[in-house]
Amino acid sequence: LAEVARLAPPGAVAEATAGSTMLCFMGYVIGPTLFAAAVPYWGWQVPFLLCAAQLALMGAVQGMLLRRR
């Protein structure tokens, strides 16, 4: 949140931090909802594997971005 505030244009810190927080909380609501909706169709294993794949992908992306610096 501090990084969002630091990068926000002067006078728009409140809007930037509010938007960042809103996206974060949307993830709290949408993620478990999608997981719960997927379980009846694919069982527990596929949703867990999708979560693991997403985590691995984001870790790889962050690793590549950090190497560029």
Side-chain angles (χ1 to χ4, degrees):
L1 201 55
E3 186 68 12
V4 172
R6 185 182 72 81
L7 294 173
V13 173
E15 290 87 356
T17 54
S20 169
T21 304
M22 182 188 70
L23 287 174
C24 205
F25 280 108
M26 282 176 55
Y28 293 160
V29 172
I30 293 170
T33 303
L34 290 176
F35 188 92
V39 168
Y41 295 103
W42 297 310
W44 291 96
Q45 193 170 11
V46 173
F48 274 120
L49 289 174
L50 289 174
C51 289
Q54 183 249 347
L55 231 107
L57 177 66
M58 289 299 108
V61 167
Q62 291 300 313
M64 290 188 320
L65 289 174
L66 287 173
R67 284 187 182 173
R68 285 187 178 178
R69 290 184 179 186

